[in-house]
Amino acid sequence: MKDNKKDFIREIIDKDLEEGRYKKVHTRFPPEPNGYLHIGHAKAICLNFEIAKEYGGKCNLRFDDTNPTKEEEEYVLSIKEDIRWLGYDWEEREFYASDYFEKLYEMAVELIKKGKAYVCELTPDQIREYRGTLTEPGKESPYRNRPVEENLKLFKEMRDGKHPDGSMVLRAKIDMASSNLNMRDPVMYRIIHTSHHRTGNKWCIYPTYDWAHGQSDSLEGITHSICTLEFQDHRPLYDWFIEQLGIHHPRQIEFARLNLTYTVMSKRKLLELVEGGYVKGWDDPRMPTLSGMRRRGYPPSAIRKFCNSIGVAKTESTVDIELLEHFVREELNKTAERRMAVLKPLKVVIINYPEGKTEELEAINNPENLSAGTRKIPFSKVIYIERDDFMENPVPKFYRLAPGREVRLRYAYFIRCVDVIKDKEGNIVELHCTYDPDTRGGDAPDGRKVKATLHWVSAENSFPAEVRLYEYLFTKKNPLDVPEGGDFKDNLNPNSLTVLTGCRIEPSLADAKPGMVFQFERLGYFCVDPDTKNGKLVFNRTVTLKDEWEKIKKSL
Ligand code: ATP
Ligand code: MG
């Protein structure tokens, strides 16, 4: 948890400003448009945009779109929508690495001219073989000492489409004996005859991420290039490129990526779930994507609070998913209006209530925010209660409705169960109850008490709805924990989705719109799903009411 002390990134920035290394702070969020954003990306987004805000600086959005085979316009659009939804604004600073292809090409030519890059015709397999290992140095390519003129000519031919995919690459000429594998003459350009979502067929050579990333940051005047730990070993390479070129030098700072329990966070694995039909799409409410969380009803402010509260660290760790849910609950408790809905209805006939009568009872929309006002709920002779709220033979500590027992109906009356009606198979099909007219509003004038308050809806004056209940997508805290030869998909939770049809909702919900979130009393928070059409309402359970985080916190 965050305390008042600044994290190590902000300490570095303070020092840089103090020592005059930079005069301002300029960060960026650099997604590759090859998938939808997930909660891990949200952490990086919050970090970069919040730091820019705190230091009166700017944060760019830059798409690192260097790989034409995996990238698509659909991803660009979704990424922009998700960042906006999260509450951040890159203003007019929307950039693409592909905008720099020409400049990057010129820089590569400059390195060739300086004798710092060469065209290599080893096959991809040979390049790997020549690279050596952590314990053995690499071997120099036979093409390493080509004359500059020849390199320039071949590189131009590569660009002009004179050579097939995989026949040659441009490599940096650094040190095949370096203890850092990234410094062993890394590839800068590959030939890929594939059209790009933005540059079309203009290019058939594409820069590698390693070649494009640092120079893109530099071109944009980024001061602090914040990235995840796996780039630590690439930093010497990025520094080398920038020093050879003599251009603006951003400071790269690495932090540990966010991992969440019961969640996988790699785009490749998420894509596998989408393409394999294990979920309904990138925005399936069980996905850790921002679009999934939006559809599920997570408020963006809760995600921001979560990301900003977990802080940044230098070592990998895994955050309990219950903490994220805690922030969601805390936010929705303040903002979501309360409604009544019955998920598994059991019919109740109030035998002493007048036939054909309907009365309107007053209900509070949000006890946490009285300015949300009140609404009317219709009450009538036939109502539904939750099947789970009745037990014919109540077990100890079950205080809800049972034969002969009296309970309170929220905002309405006390009722007492006088008869249990069953079908031929012995299934309970309805209850007969009596009500006490003197308990209207929920209190008995004679002061008698009941041990339970139930939610309910009027049978006649309620609407049908479908409700989708979610559990974690995986059964294991660490879904990647599989026996030898296993697959993370073996840990998928077969019960992650339960669809309830025939639910009943109070009439004020009839015109609820997709995206709206309500607390269904006693049940949890529920968000209207975009599948809601022509008055057929579909809800997603956002979270239940029970805060598991408080328990976990105590055990920490
Ligand atoms: P993935 O591993 O999920 O495929 P990625 O790192 O390849 O993600 P990018 O599009 O390159 O995805 O990520 C954009 C930015 O988000 C990068 O700066 C990256 O470091 C950061 N990022 C990605 N995943 C996480 C995470 N789990 N926690 C924090 N930051 C992350
Ligand atoms: Mg990446």
Side-chain angles (χ1 to χ4, degrees):
M1 282 279 174
K2 186 167 151 183
D3 51 22
N4 290 329
K5 204 171 143 286
K6 283 198 175 180
D7 59 56
F8 76 94
I9 297 181
R10 287 163 170 96
E11 275 174 359
I12 294 172
I13 296 176
D14 282 350
K15 193 148 174 282
D16 279 346
L17 292 172
E18 240 170 71
E19 293 175 352
R21 175 167 171 160
Y22 305 109
K23 301 217 158 28
K24 54 166 185 122
V25 171
H26 203 144
T27 58
R28 84 287 174 265
F29 173 64
E32 189 186 344
N34 62 351
Y36 281 60
L37 295 182
H38 53 57
I39 182 78
H41 294 116
K43 175 167 176 177
I45 294 168
C46 290
L47 190 59
N48 280 293
F49 278 94
E50 291 295 336
I51 284 179
K53 207 188 296 172
E54 280 165 42
Y55 288 90
K58 292 187 161 93
C59 180
N60 294 357
L61 169 61
R62 183 181 67 249
F63 290 96
D64 269 336
D65 55 348
T66 53
N67 186 350
T69 59
K70 288 194 179 154
E71 294 162 4
E72 287 171 31
E73 178 72 7
E74 177 198 344
Y75 298 135
V76 170
L77 296 174
S78 76
I79 288 168
K80 292 201 281 184
E81 185 184 358
D82 288 349
I83 301 174
R84 274 197 207 102
W85 174 73
L86 200 53
Y88 295 106
D89 183 7
W90 56 92
E91 298 170 319
E92 72 295 345
R93 295 178 310 281
E94 176 176 326
F95 301 119
Y96 294 81
S98 55
D99 291 343
Y100 311 138
F101 281 176
E102 193 64 52
K103 282 201 183 102
L104 288 166
Y105 180 84
E106 285 165 17
M107 288 176 176
V109 167
E110 194 183 326
L111 288 192
I112 295 174
K113 286 183 179 162
K114 288 186 166 155
K116 301 288 182 185
Y118 63 98
V119 172
C120 178
E121 288 169 66
L122 291 178
T123 64
D125 280 342
Q126 286 171 320
I127 290 184
R128 213 167 300 127
E129 198 188 305
Y130 276 55
R131 205 165 171 230
T133 62
L134 282 172
T135 48
E136 281 167 59
K139 219 164 59 178
E140 294 192 350
S141 161
Y143 304 99
R144 197 171 198 261
N145 296 313
R146 265 194 218 278
V148 167
E149 286 313 313
E150 196 180 316
N151 280 319
L152 287 173
K153 177 173 155 280
L154 284 172
F155 188 46
K156 175 81 170 50
E157 286 178 13
M158 282 170 64
R159 175 184 182 155
D160 291 342
K162 302 237 165 77
H163 300 282
D165 287 9
S167 60
M168 50 184 75
V169 295
L170 185 75
R171 298 176 69 175
K173 191 169 170 178
I174 310 178
D175 178 7
M176 288 308 289
S178 171
S179 58
N180 183 339
L181 270 74
N182 293 302
M183 302 298 273
R184 294 184 188 170
D185 292 9
V187 173
M188 296 166 61
Y189 277 91
R190 302 145 298 173
I191 302 173
I192 307 173
H193 288 270
T194 297
S195 86
H196 182 278
H197 71 107
R198 292 191 85 237
T199 56
N201 292 320
K202 179 160 185 230
W203 294 90
C204 61
I205 55 169
Y206 291 94
T208 55
Y209 185 87
D210 273 346
W211 167 240
H213 189 76
Q215 278 59 256
S216 301
D217 279 347
S218 176
L219 287 167
E220 290 176 16
I222 300 304
T223 56
H224 296 88
S225 172
I226 301 168
C227 61
T228 37
L229 285 181
E230 69 271 24
F231 292 103
Q232 198 161 340
D233 292 345
H234 297 240
R235 181 163 20 105
L237 172 60
Y238 297 174
D239 287 345
W240 186 88
F241 281 138
I242 281 183
E243 278 154 25
Q244 300 309 314
L245 294 164
I247 53 178
H248 164 73
H249 198 153
R251 180 197 288 283
Q252 175 171 307
I253 308 171
E254 305 89 10
F255 70 100
R257 55 176 50 228
L258 167 67
N259 299 301
L260 263 190
T261 53
Y262 300 102
T263 308
V264 297
M265 208 89 90
S266 115
K267 279 185 279 190
R268 192 178 54 74
K269 292 199 174 64
L270 296 176
L271 179 66
E272 209 178 318
L273 295 177
V274 172
E275 290 188 332
Y278 298 96
V279 293
K280 287 189 205 154
W282 284 100
D283 69 345
D284 186 301
R286 291 166 292 180
M287 290 281 271
T289 52
L290 295 183
S291 51
M293 292 182 177
R294 174 166 61 238
R295 186 164 183 175
R296 178 131 174 195
Y298 282 21
S301 58
I303 297 176
R304 285 199 305 271
K305 279 186 194 154
F306 167 76
C307 290
N308 295 327
S309 84
I310 52 180
V312 285
K314 268 283 186 196
T315 47
E316 290 269 344
S317 66
T318 303
V319 176
D320 288 302
I321 195 166
E322 290 87 351
L323 179 61
L324 173 60
E325 293 172 342
H326 165 82
F327 280 104
V328 170
R329 231 175 245 121
E330 198 176 66
E331 185 67 20
L332 291 177
N333 182 43
K334 284 186 272 181
T335 56
E337 292 202 357
R338 276 55 169 172
R339 293 290 183 269
M340 289 209 280
V342 175
L343 301 190
K344 295 174 192 160
L346 174 60
K347 187 175 165 187
V348 173
V349 180
I350 299 167
I351 51 175
N352 60 338
Y353 193 85
E355 197 82 48
K357 175 176 169 179
T358 300
E359 60 186 307
E360 304 252 277
L361 301 166
E362 178 133 302
I364 295 166
N365 284 331
N366 186 353
E368 301 291 321
N369 171 20
L370 293 178
S371 70
T374 60
R375 68 189 187 284
K376 300 279 193 222
I377 312 178
F379 185 81
S380 52
K381 188 177 179 77
V382 184
I383 62 166
Y384 293 114
I385 63 165
E386 209 67 62
R387 224 161 234 284
D388 293 346
D389 281 337
F390 176 79
M391 274 185 106
E392 192 175 15
N393 301 298
V395 293
K397 296 206 176 142
F398 182 87
Y399 299 120
R400 292 169 269 163
L401 197 61
R405 196 181 277 175
E406 191 172 47
V407 296
R408 176 190 293 112
L409 294 177
R410 179 95 162 127
Y411 296 122
Y413 297 98
F414 284 10
I415 57 167
R416 185 184 301 280
C417 176
V418 293
D419 207 358
V420 181
I421 315 296
K422 297 182 181 172
D423 64 13
K424 279 198 280 293
E425 282 81 47
N427 302 308
I428 298 170
V429 289
E430 68 180 65
L431 303 178
H432 286 180
C433 293
T434 55
Y435 86 116
D436 176 355
D438 291 339
T439 57
R440 192 179 201 266
D443 284 303
D446 63 8
R448 77 183 187 277
K449 299 276 183 241
V450 288
K451 281 197 171 148
T453 300
L454 309 187
H455 61 275
W456 55 274
V457 295
S458 152
E460 194 186 344
N461 300 294
S462 60
F463 289 87
E466 175 181 319
V467 175
R468 299 172 184 168
L469 305 179
Y470 300 102
E471 287 178 21
Y472 298 139
L473 190 50
F474 294 93
T475 51
K476 275 215 178 136
K477 261 194 178 181
N478 175 9
L480 304 186
D481 174 14
V482 280
E484 186 80 33
D487 183 280
F488 77 100
K489 298 195 293 306
D490 301 342
N491 288 327
L492 278 166
N493 177 2
N495 303 316
S496 61
L497 168 65
T498 304
V499 178
L500 300 176
T501 53
C503 310
R504 306 290 305 185
I505 56 177
E506 66 165 84
S508 70
L509 284 169
D511 52 6
K513 298 283 175 297
M516 291 172 82
V517 187
F518 299 93
Q519 184 192 102
F520 289 173
E521 298 222 14
R522 299 178 62 229
L523 297 172
Y525 295 95
F526 293 80
C527 177
V528 184
D529 190 85
D531 283 347
T532 293
K533 279 190 192 84
N534 312 321
K536 203 184 146 282
L537 280 136
V538 179
F539 288 88
N540 296 311
R541 183 170 68 195
T542 311
V543 271
T544 59
L545 292 175
K546 207 160 114 206
D547 196 329
E548 302 289 345
W549 174 247
E550 294 301 330
K551 237 191 309 179
I552 293 174
K553 202 166 68 181
K554 279 192 199 111
S555 72
L556 287 180

